Amino acid sequence: MTRRMIFDRRHLLQGAAAGLAASALGARPAAAATVTIGFIYVGPKDDYGYNQAHAEGAAAVKKLRGVTVIEEEKVPETIDVVKTMESMINLEGASLLFPTSFGYFNPFVLQAASKYPQTEFRHCGGLWTDKNPKNAGSYFGYIGSCQYLNGVVAGHMTKTKKLGFVAAKPIPQVLLNINSFLLGARSVDPDITCRVIFTGEWSLAVKEAEAANALLDQGVDVVTCHVDSPKVVVQTAAARGAYVCGYHADQRPLAPERYLTGAEWNWATVYKTYVEKFLAGQPLPNFTRGGLAEGFVKTSPLGAMAPDAARRQFEAKKAEMTKGGYAIVAGPLKDNKGALVVPAGKKYLETAVELESMNYLVEGVIGAIS
Amino acid sequence: MTETITDDPARRGERRDFATERAWIARRAEPLVIVAASLLAGCGLFSLLLLTLDKSPAQFFELLWRGGFGSWFSVQNMLSRTAPLLLAGLCVALPARLGLLIIGGEGAIALGGVAAAATGSALSSAPAPLVIAAMALAGMAAGGAWIGAIGALRHYRAVNETISGLLMAYIAIALMNHLVEGPLRDSASLNKPSTAPLPDADRIGAIPGTDVHWGLAVGIACCFLASVLIEKTSWGFAARISGGNLRAARIQGLPVGALIVAFCALAGAAAGLCGMIEVAAVHGAANASLASGYGYTGILVAFLARQNPLAIIPVAMLLGGVGAAGGLIQRRMELPDATILVLQGMVFIVVLFAETLYGRFHIFTPERWARKG
Amino acid sequence: MQTTDIGYWSVPLAIVGGAIRVSTPFIFVSLGETITERAGRANIGLEGILIFGAMSAYATAVLSNSPWLGVAAAGVSGIAAGLLHGWICKFPRVNDIAIGIALMLLGTGLAFFFGKAFIQPSAPRLPAISLGFWSDIPQLRAALDVNALFVIGAALAVFLQWAFRNTRAGLILRTVGDSSDAARAMGIDPDRVRLLATAAGGGLAAIGGGYLSLYYPGSWNESISSGQGLMAVALVVFSRWNPLGCFAAALLFGGAGALGPALQSVGVTHGYYLFYAAPYALTLAIMIATSSPGRALAGAPCELSITR
C-alpha cells in the first residue's frame, strides 16, 4: 500500500516534469493542438513484413486530423523499449502508445502502464488480462483464416503434393498458421503434406534462404512462411520456380509471376478505430480481436495464374469466413504423431482460447516441435 | 597504461614550486585535452555529413544533449543504458590487460542469465536476499567457466582466444535458445518462450530516488574492484608485466597459465553477472532477448577506455547517453536509427586516431621544456 | 517445376549445395584478411566493410540495372574503406584492432543509413552458371548452380597460394609481415605495403558483401549479414594464413551451416538450435584438435598484433 503511494507521488512529480517539458517544446507548432500518438517497431518499418504492416497502419492514422504520429523503429525487447515509451511520454507528450512487438508486453508495457496511468497503451498480441493495468490493452487479428486460404490456393497449385513452411519459432501462433495452411490445402486434396523448417530467429536472411532451398530440395513446390520479413523466402523460392504465398504484408512486387496470394494484416482498421475513439474522448477497449469478418486481416488479391477451380473455392471459402463463425480447427483431428487432438464433433472457432496454447502439428505436417 | 613518474618531487617530500605544479598539470591535461579535442573533431566531421543531407547539426546536438543528458529523466535513461555496458566492458578489458582479445562476452551474458534464472526458479521459496545472492553466484560461475575455458584453451592447447571466444559466443547463444525453448521453458510462456518468471520479491529493484536499477551500482563497484586488482595487487602487477608479451613473462617465471585462466574467468564472471542483472532487474526471466548485443558494445567500451577499468565508467555513460538520445533524434529529425551508429563510428575513429598525438605537443611534455629553454 | 524424390540423399546434397551457396562471402573476406594479415596488419572491421559492400552493390545494381556494376561499386567502396584503415594505422600508437572495431561500427552505420531507400526495390541478381547441366535430378542441378564469384574466389585462393611463395609481391608482403625492420633494410616501405594490403583486403570483403545482396540470399536488408565478416576473419587464423586453407574452411563452414535446415526438411527437428550451432562447434573442435602449445604460432606473421 505504501509502495503504491510512493509510486503515485513520484508519478505526480513526473507528470509535472512532463508538463514542463511539453511547454518547453513550444517550438513544435502542432504540439499543443493535437494528440500525439507513438508507434514503436522492433525492426525496420519497411521490411516487407511484420513491421511494415504496422507502419502502414500508422500511415493511415497520420491522415486523420488532430493527430501527430511519432515513430521509432528497431527498438529491441529490452529496457530500451521502456525508455522509448517513457521518452515519448516525457519528452513529446504522447498520450496513446502502440508498442507493436509481441515481446514488449511482459514486463515492459506492464511496467510503463502502471507508472504512467494517464497514458493509454495498446499492445499487439492479445496478452492483456483483467489483472493488468486498465490503461493498457491488447489487440490482435485472427490471421489463421488467411493462412487457410493460402493453403486452399496452394492445394490447387501443387503438383508434387508437397508444401513448405519456413517458420521462426515453434510457438502457438506459428503452429496455428502452419496447421491452418495445411488444413486449407487438405480441403482440396487430403494427400497433401507440408514440411516445416524452424529458423530459430525472427529475422535472419541467410538461414531463411537455406531453409527455403532445403524445402525445395525435398520437392516442395509451394512455399509460405512466418518470419518477420518474408522478402528472402519469397525471392528465393520464386527464383527456383516454386509458387509462394505471402505473409504479414503484400509481397507481390517481389515475384509477380509466382506470388499466389498472401495473408496480410489490416492494422489500419484497428488503429483508426482506436484513434477515432480516443479523439472523441471515449474509453478505449482493453481487448480487441478480429478476423476477416471484422477487417483486421485481409488476403492479397489472387494471382492470375490461379485456375478457375482454385479461384472459385478461394472466393467461396473467403465469403463463408467473412460471415463469421467459421472453425478451421474441427474434429476429428489428429496430430502428426497419431494422437487425436480434437475429437469428432468438437470444433474451435477462431476466438477459442484453446487455440492460443496450440502445441501440436496436425497430421500431414512433417516436422516436430522440440 | 599510465606511466609512473619517478621524479615527482611531491613524492620525495619537496616543496612544489610553480614550475613543478605546471609540469604536473600539463602531464595530466594531455589526455583530457586530446580526448576532448578529438570528440569535437569527430562531431565536426559528423556535422559535415548532416549538412550535406540538409539536416541541422545544431538541432542534432541539441537533441543529443536533451535526450541523453539534459534533464533528470534523460540522465536516468542514460544511466539505465550504462549499467550493462560497464560489466560487458570489463569482460573485454580484463583479458586485454594480458594481451588477450576476447570478443565472446555476449555468450557469457546469455549463459549467465540462463544460469541465474534457473537458480532463481529452483530456489523460489528461499528468502529473497539468499535467492539473489545465489543467482548472482550462478551467473558469475556460468560466465566465468565459459570465458575461463577460453583462457584454458589458450594456455594449455594454444587455441587462439579471439576465435574460440567468437565461436563459443555463437554456441552459447544457441545453447541459451535451446534451454529457454526446451528443458527450461515455462509452459505458460506461450508465444515468448521464457524460463519461469521470478517472483517480484526476488527481483532487483531501483536505486531509491531513481528508476535506475541496482545493476548500475554493481557495475561501478566492479570497475573499481577491477582497478584495484590491476593497480594494487601482486596479481595485477604480474598481469601488467605479462601484458602484451606472454612469452617474455613466461621466461621471467611468472605463473602465466594461472594468470590467463584467472583473468578470463573474472572477465566471464563480470559478463555472467551482467546477464544475471538483466534477468533479475529487467526481464524477470531468461529469454532470447538476453542476446541483445551488450557483449559486442562492450568491446567498443573497453577499447575506448584503453582497457582501463575506471575509464570504462565515463565511456559507458557516453555510449548510454548517445543511445538514450537516439530515439528522440530518430523521431524529431526523421533520420534513420542508424544515424547513431554513424556518429559513434566517426567519433570513435577520430578518438582512436588521436592516440597518435600523445607526446607530440610541446606544451604537454615538461621534459622537453628545459631543452628548448 | 519438375522434381524427383531423393529422400535422405537430400542431406549430403544440401551440404554440398550449402557449401557452394553460403561459402562465397567467407572465401572473399578471409582471402582479403589473409592478404592484410600477411602484411602484418589486422583489420577486424571487415564485417562493416562487408555490410557496406552489400548495400553499395545492391544500390548500384538497382540504379544501373547491372549487377556486375554493383559488384564493381562494392569493390571500390571496400578499397576506400581499406585505405582509410591502412592510412590511420600507419601512425604510431594507433591500435589496428580498435580501429577495426570502430570501422565495423561506421561501415554498418553508413550501410544502414544510406541503405534505407533500397530495402524495398528489387535489384537484378547475378547470374548463375549451371555446372549440373549433365544431371536429370533437379535438386542436383540446383545445388550445382554456382555463381561466377564462387569460381573467382576459388581461383583467387589458388593464385594467392602460389603468389605468396613465388612472386616478388608475395615475398615483399611476407617480409613486411614478418619484420618491418628487415623490410626497411631491403628498401621497402612497410607502411605503403600495408596500406595496399589493407585496401586489397577491404575490396575483397566488400565484394563478398555484394555476393550476399546480389546473389545469395540476394536481397538487401539490415539482417543480411549474421556476422559472416567477423567469422571469416576468425577463419583466417583457423587456416593459419593459408589461402587454400581459407577456401577449405569456408566450404566446411558453409556445408555445416546447411546441415540444420536439411535435417529439418527430412523431419529431424528436435534440438534444431543445436544443429544450427554445428558450424561453430565443428570449427572449435577442429581447432582444439589441431592446436598444441608447440606449434601455436606456425604460419603467423610476426608483426601481427592479433596473435602476439
Side-chain angles (χ1 to χ4, degrees), chain A residues 25 71-74 77 80 83 86-87 90-92 102-103 106-108 115 169-173 356, chain B residues 66 73 77 80-81 177 181 190-193 211 282-283 288-289 292 294 327-328 330-332 337:
Chain A
L25 298 179
E71 298 173 279
E72 191 171 328
E73 50 183 342
K74 289 183 80 179
E77 293 166 358
D80 288 19
K83 294 299 166 189
E86 291 193 46
S87 166
N90 284 329
L91 300 182
E92 308 198 68
F102 191 87
N106 186 4
F108 308 117
K115 188 168 168 188
K169 295 185 181 223
I171 58 172
Q173 277 170 15
E356 286 166 32
Chain B
R66 195 196 302 165
F73 166 74
N77 188 350
S80 301
R81 291 168 197 257
N177 276 317
E181 275 188 26
L190 293 174
N191 283 313
K192 184 184 179 185
D211 62 7
V282 178
H283 296 285
S289 301
S292 58
Y294 294 134
L328 190 66
Q330 193 188 132
R331 302 193 298 265
R332 284 293 177 78
D337 57 285

Side-chain angles (χ1 to χ4, degrees), chain B residues 73-111:
Chain B
F73 166 74
S74 301
V75 168
Q76 294 183 85
N77 188 350
M78 174 269 284
L79 291 174
S80 301
R81 291 168 197 257
T82 302
L85 300 183
L86 296 168
L87 290 167
L90 276 182
C91 180
V92 181
L94 284 173
R97 297 307 287 262
L98 289 169
L100 303 180
L101 174 64
I102 290 187
I103 55 181
E106 185 84 354
I109 293 175
L111 286 184

Side-chain angles (χ1 to χ4, degrees), chain B residues 203-231:
Chain B
R203 297 195 189 181
I204 296 178
I207 300 171
T210 72
D211 62 7
V212 184
H213 61 71
W214 278 102
L216 177 74
V218 173
I220 291 177
C222 287
C223 286
F224 275 96
L225 281 176
S227 176
V228 170
L229 170 76
I230 290 172
E231 305 295 338

Side-chain angles (χ1 to χ4, degrees), chain C residues 32-107:
Chain C
E33 182 71 4
T34 301
I35 298 175
T36 308
E37 292 193 6
R38 281 277 184 151
R41 191 68 60 70
N43 178 4
I44 73 165
L46 291 187
E47 169 80 5
I49 297 181
L50 171 105
I51 295 176
F52 191 78
M55 190 284 292
S56 43
Y58 198 81
T60 309
V62 167
L63 297 175
S64 69
N65 210 27
S66 157
W68 288 109
L69 216 56
V71 173
V76 171
S77 75
I79 288 171
L83 285 173
L84 177 71
H85 184 281
W87 179 75
I88 292 176
C89 291
K90 82 172 192 194
F91 290 91
R93 278 190 304 280
V94 175
N95 181 327
D96 54 351
I97 293 171
I99 292 287
I101 293 164
L103 196 63
M104 194 177 328
L105 206 65
L106 181 66

